[in-house]
Amino acid sequence: MNADERRFEVLRAIVADYVSNHEPVGSKALVERHNLGVSSATVRNDMAALEEEGYITQPHTSAGRVPTDKGYRVFVDRLSEVKPLSSAERKAIQSFLEGAYDLDDVLRRSVRLLAQLTRQVAVIQYPTLSRSTVRHLEVLAITPARLMLVLITDTGRVDQRSVDLGDVITEENVARLRAVLNSAMGGKRLSDASAEVAQLPEQAPAELRDAMTRVSTVLIESLVEHPEERLVLGGTANLTRNVADFPGSLRQVLEALEEQVVVLKLLASARDPGTILVHIGEENEAAEMRSTSVVSIGYGSRDNLLGGMGVVGPTRMDYPGTMAAVRAVATYVGEILTGR
């Protein structure tokens, strides 16, 4: 083991102890707890070198050191592979998520599960509608002059809207509307379906034109994404367990999480279901989030990315365990949704 490799082992040990105990780590404790194979004097020299290079710092006058954002980054980058969860853990995740009955339930269960596994804040983005395709549109007459539209996408999203027609419509014409709309929209991405629907009123026969105009207007509104509906968060209270991890900034973090635009930006770079991204402290663009780390990943499939998901927590987090949990949950969510 050369000097650089030995110093990384010292850094790894400091990260492990600090994440576990939340106490600055001294050379004596490192020698006692970790089989580093060198003397206390060598460990002290290595710690001095790590501090000079900006990987650890001394928070106050004690002899202990804590990792910096730069130190966590080197530690994360040197993880050769993400430790897989045990078969029992994977089975528990799979059975919990497969019990969901619709998209909303899948996402709610996902954030609850991920928050429990990581003891952090979990967040998942609704499947981006622009990437979804129309599976079916059901058109139902609630009254002779009012329709219910039920739009179902390939990701399992169900969107319901009612339409007041201003005049009565026969069951036969309801069936005609349903057939024309499904012919125009079925199997198309929502953005393309929206363009098709916009053209339908002028193509409709005179007796259906007014009803088609009203239905098309409501449908186009439904096909436009609703940013306020695009995130599900869980486990926010987990951040309050260790307020000291967010000196003077916990309130800012909580407020930023409520501003879903901030979280959506954090997930925006999660573009690959096979790649876990870790943004540590100052690497986060939003100033309010610079006391946090964000572990994120895309979910879906390589051919059909549905959205991003991940966790937000303090920089003092169990990165290997968190990364493993995020990857596992994302894998099962992707399989459930793309398999529907």
Side-chain angles (χ1 to χ4, degrees), residues 5-299:
E5 290 173 344
R6 191 184 65 241
R7 284 172 188 164
F8 174 73
E9 287 303 309
V10 171
L11 174 62
R12 185 193 57 74
I14 292 171
V15 170
D17 280 8
Y18 185 61
V19 167
S20 175
N21 303 321
H22 200 191
E23 293 289 340
V25 183
S27 58
K28 183 180 178 183
L30 288 179
V31 171
E32 290 173 351
R33 294 176 191 158
H34 301 271
N35 183 24
L36 297 173
V38 293
S39 67
S40 296
T42 301
V43 172
R44 282 195 297 273
N45 289 336
D46 287 340
M47 290 177 70
L50 289 168
E51 185 171 11
E52 188 175 340
E53 293 169 8
Y55 296 117
I56 59 176
T57 188
Q58 187 175 24
H60 43 74
T61 54
S62 74
R65 303 292 187 274
V66 301
T68 62
D69 290 354
K70 183 179 178 181
Y72 284 126
R73 167 51 59 198
V74 170
F75 171 76
V76 169
D77 288 348
R78 291 280 297 270
L79 289 173
S80 57
E81 61 182 32
V82 177
K83 177 187 173 186
L85 297 182
S86 69
S87 58
E89 289 170 321
R90 291 197 304 273
K91 188 173 182 180
I93 291 172
Q94 188 174 12
S95 61
F96 183 71
L97 293 181
E98 285 182 345
Y101 56 85
D102 62 12
L103 174 68
D104 292 333
D105 195 26
V106 170
L107 301 187
R108 283 194 298 266
R109 285 172 180 248
S110 298
V111 293
R112 193 159 76 243
L113 178 61
L114 196 50
Q116 289 172 354
L117 288 172
T118 64
R119 304 186 74 193
Q120 313 293 357
V121 177
V123 57
I124 187 167
Q125 182 183 15
Y126 261 87
T128 305
L129 290 179
S130 60
R131 300 191 191 99
S132 302
T133 59
V134 177
R135 177 178 290 175
H136 181 69
L137 175 72
E138 188 54 68
V139 183
L140 305 167
I142 305 173
T143 71
R146 186 176 183 138
L147 300 179
M148 173 67 76
L149 307 177
V150 184
L151 179 69
I152 304 169
T153 71
D154 62 335
T155 55
R157 181 158 186 163
V158 177
D159 206 347
Q160 296 185 29
R161 293 288 187 276
S162 60
V163 184
D164 289 311
L165 300 178
D167 201 354
V168 297
I169 187 171
T170 66
E171 283 293 333
E172 180 185 354
N173 282 338
V174 171
R176 290 171 68 191
L177 278 175
R178 184 186 303 117
V180 170
L181 289 163
N182 276 293
S183 177
M185 299 169 64
K188 291 185 173 66
R189 286 184 177 266
L190 296 196
S191 54
D192 297 331
S194 181
E196 292 284 340
V197 168
Q199 299 175 33
L200 293 180
E202 59 188 56
Q203 299 169 0
E207 67 273 18
L208 283 181
R209 190 162 298 148
D210 186 58
M212 185 65 83
T213 299
R214 290 172 185 256
V215 168
S216 297
T217 300
V218 171
L219 270 178
I220 290 169
E221 290 174 355
S222 300
L223 296 173
V224 175
E225 293 191 34
H226 307 289
E228 73 278 5
E229 297 175 1
R230 286 179 57 196
L231 283 180
V232 184
L233 271 76
T236 307
N238 285 335
L239 293 186
T240 62
R241 286 184 297 106
N242 291 300
V243 178
D245 282 320
F246 307 95
S249 64
L250 178 57
R251 180 170 180 164
Q252 286 183 329
V253 173
L254 294 173
E255 289 174 351
L257 289 173
E258 289 181 10
E259 292 289 333
Q260 297 203 350
V261 173
V262 173
V263 186
L264 283 169
K265 285 183 178 179
L266 294 174
L267 297 179
S269 55
R271 283 282 169 266
D272 182 356
T275 304
I276 297 176
L277 299 178
V278 183
H279 292 90
I280 300 170
E282 293 293 326
E283 296 171 359
N284 289 307
E285 183 180 338
E288 313 96 300
M289 304 299 287
R290 288 178 185 161
S291 62
T292 72
S293 284
V294 181
V295 178
S296 61
I297 194 171
Y299 71 91

